Structures are given as C-alpha cells and as structure tokens.
Amino acid sequence: MTTTEPVAGRLDPPRLPASPYGQGAEGAPSLADILERVLDKGVVIAGDIRVNLLDIELLTIKLRLLVASVDKAKEMGIDWWEHDPSLSSRARTRAVRDDDAERSLTEENARLRAEIAALRARAEDRSVDG
C-alpha cells in the first residue's frame, strides 16, 4: 500500500526569509526603515566650504554633522544637550545653583578680605604701640 501527499501542500510558493527592518519582498526599503537604520548606526557627514578671491581665502566653513539616536550618541560619549541650560531643565537648575554658589563665594571672599585687612591693621597698631 502506498501513501500519497496532498498536491496542494507541495505547490505552495516558497516563503522568503524575513528581512531586517521590515523590508518588503520587492526589496525597496521604506523611509521608516532607512531612518531606523540611520538612527541605529549613526551617520557622519563632513565637508568644508571655502570662498577664495584671487587666491586669498576669505571664508572657510567646516561642516560636521552627526545624525544618530540619543542612545547611540550617549554610547559614543556625546551628551552636550544634557549640560546646556537652554536645552535642559536639569542643566538650568544646576546653572542657578552654580550662580548661587558663585555669589556666596564672592561674598565669602569679600568678608575674608575685610577680616585680613582688619588683622593687618591691628598688627600694625601693635607694632606702633610696642
């Protein structure tokens, strides 16, 4: 006795393996796929613009652009936005605290200078009296 397989099971079209970033079978990635790749890996764009007049350099602009996700930038050690008071409320709070500390240091410095001047004046009075 022989067994047979159903014909329909053998004629299914072959399945394509799942491609990364949801790329479709037609092979063209969508804008979202490209953006995800760029933010995941990061892209550096660098260039220089020079304006010369009769071999005299009038202007040079150096362009450096890094496009990456926040996580990728932090992984690379770039986190300047966390320390900029115009971009971060935590940095603003730190800046106010630093201003207060600087003000109190200036006041303490003035007080100590006055005390030193008073001590010097007393020392001079003693040397004149003695």
Side-chain angles (χ1 to χ4, degrees):
M1 180 174 199
T2 62
T3 59
T4 60
E5 293 180 26
V7 175
R10 287 184 282 153
L11 297 179
D12 285 341
R15 294 186 182 228
L16 296 174
S19 59
Y21 306 106
Q23 194 172 345
E26 60 277 350
S30 69
L31 181 60
D33 298 332
I34 294 170
L35 184 59
E36 185 177 345
R37 286 182 193 181
V38 165
L39 292 177
D40 184 42
K41 301 292 182 191
V43 172
V44 175
I45 300 171
D48 296 334
I49 299 172
R50 290 194 179 126
V51 177
N52 294 336
L53 179 64
L54 300 173
D55 292 332
I56 299 171
E57 191 171 313
L58 299 176
L59 176 68
T60 298
I61 300 173
K62 294 183 179 253
L63 301 172
R64 306 295 181 259
L65 176 65
L66 169 69
V67 179
S69 67
V70 171
D71 293 335
K72 189 66 172 179
K74 284 183 178 181
E75 186 179 307
M76 292 185 285
I78 302 169
D79 62 352
W80 51 264
W81 61 89
E82 291 182 346
H83 308 289
D84 188 338
S86 63
L87 297 174
S88 169
S89 60
R90 263 188 255 138
R92 246 189 317 274
T93 304
R94 258 185 258 127
V96 168
R97 234 184 1 244
D98 291 347
D99 286 345
D100 291 343
E102 186 176 330
R103 201 172 305 117
S104 69
L105 285 175
T106 303
E107 292 168 0
E108 182 181 14
N109 192 351
R111 184 181 55 77
L112 290 172
R113 287 177 183 270
E115 284 182 28
I116 290 171
L119 290 171
R120 284 185 179 157
R122 273 191 237 150
E124 286 178 12
D125 287 345
R126 287 185 187 158
S127 66
V128 171
D129 292 340

